[in-house]
Amino acid sequence: MTIRVVVSVETKAGLGERQVQAFAELAPLVRAESGCLQYDLHRVVGTADGFVILEHWESAEALAAHDDAPHMLDADAANKQFRAGPARVLIVEGAAVH
């Protein structure tokens, strides 16, 4: 079963472009990881500082390896410079619609 993740992040006021720049540097490394099917950044409409990251992974093991990847540990430390607080990470699954 594949794993879908939605990560909600808020940057400090006026620092949204730092998030965009950091993601542009990180995304190629993440997309090259084994099991990565999607890794995309989207700005929340109506805000300069709100973003979501949409992720799709082949397995829970691939997601766990991603979380422990050296470039992710480095990014987590660097993000503190411009993020307003910790990211909110949601693991999601499809809902039955009738």
Side-chain angles (χ1 to χ4, degrees):
M1 179 172 96
T2 62
I3 307 293
R4 293 188 183 267
V5 181
V6 178
V7 181
S8 175
V9 297
E10 187 82 19
T11 65
K12 295 174 184 172
L15 296 182
E17 286 309 307
R18 294 267 310 270
Q19 174 63 59
V20 173
Q21 292 168 355
F23 188 87
E25 294 173 15
L26 182 63
L29 300 173
V30 174
R31 291 177 182 146
E33 290 178 37
S34 178
C36 180
L37 303 173
Q38 177 186 14
Y39 192 73
D40 297 317
L41 178 71
H42 299 272
R43 189 181 306 266
V44 175
V45 174
T47 173
D49 303 317
F51 298 87
V52 294
I53 300 168
L54 303 179
E55 303 181 26
H56 190 187
W57 296 90
E58 285 183 356
S59 65
E61 294 80 15
L63 176 57
H66 162 71
D67 289 340
D68 292 334
H71 52 267
M72 290 308 299
L73 299 175
D74 291 345
D76 287 343
N79 290 343
K80 290 175 177 56
Q81 297 173 20
F82 56 84
R83 291 228 180 128
R88 182 171 182 224
V89 179
L90 305 168
I91 307 295
V92 299
E93 61 184 20
V97 178
H98 301 284

